[in-house]
Amino acid sequence: MARDTVLTISISYVLVATDMIYAQHLTSCLPDPPLDLLYPGVLVFAVGLAGNFYHHCLLSQLRTTKQGGGGGGGGEKAYKIPTGGLFGLVTCPHYLFEIIGFFGFAMIAQTVHALAVAAGTAAYLAGRSCATRRWYESKFEDFPENIKALVPYVL
């Protein structure tokens, strides 16, 4: 991933986290919600975090290099269709689990702001996953038609 992309994404996450902490602070004087979603939210967040981590590990194992003619280890990167986990059902399961994690956080926070952040993240990553699926279709003639972009059997 390009350094400026990593920097942009990292800054975005820091700003969103800071903003959500501040929004949570502003709600401290309000009464607690009638239904406490803290523990289910922690569970949903943990599932999202674990799934995202697992699928990123699978993606990192794809980073191979085509060998150059001299056998010196240099060469160009080779792209592969990811396998394992939910990659047989969707092109971006790591995005799906990231969305699950954000909704888990929204359950923990129980604020409209946290829900809006989760919904915005879901919309953004849904668009990214559809674009990724189109990219795979353009690069691989044998890309399976039954693999969806983000949600198994649906999207």
Side-chain angles (χ1 to χ4, degrees):
M1 188 180 288
R3 188 175 292 149
D4 55 339
T5 302
V6 171
L7 186 62
T8 301
I9 291 171
S10 298
I11 289 171
S12 297
Y13 274 102
V14 168
L15 290 175
V16 166
T18 303
D19 187 44
M20 290 178 79
I21 290 168
Y22 181 67
Q24 197 69 28
H25 171 73
L26 292 176
T27 64
S28 64
C29 61
L30 297 175
D32 289 336
L35 179 63
D36 186 9
L37 296 177
L38 174 64
Y39 297 114
V42 168
L43 178 64
V44 170
F45 179 77
V47 167
L49 196 64
N52 191 6
F53 178 77
Y54 173 70
H55 288 92
H56 273 285
C57 286
L58 292 176
L59 284 173
S60 71
Q61 294 171 3
L62 290 177
R63 307 283 188 248
T64 59
T65 308
K66 289 182 185 175
Q67 294 297 320
E76 60 188 56
K77 289 189 177 182
Y79 289 102
K80 297 179 182 177
I81 298 172
T83 58
L86 293 181
F87 281 110
L89 299 173
V90 295
T91 56
C92 297
H94 51 299
Y95 289 171
L96 174 62
F97 282 103
E98 188 168 351
I99 292 166
I100 289 170
F102 268 95
F103 277 99
F105 193 86
M107 290 170 69
I108 294 167
Q110 288 189 264
T111 64
V112 173
H113 180 265
L115 183 61
V117 168
T121 300
Y124 171 71
L125 291 177
R128 292 276 314 230
S129 64
C130 289
T132 300
R133 187 180 190 294
R134 284 191 302 272
W135 184 86
Y136 276 119
E137 287 177 324
S138 73
K139 296 295 180 194
F140 300 100
E141 291 180 12
D142 59 341
F143 187 76
E145 290 184 26
N146 63 322
I147 294 180
K148 301 296 183 183
L150 183 66
V151 180
Y153 311 110
V154 179
L155 171 69

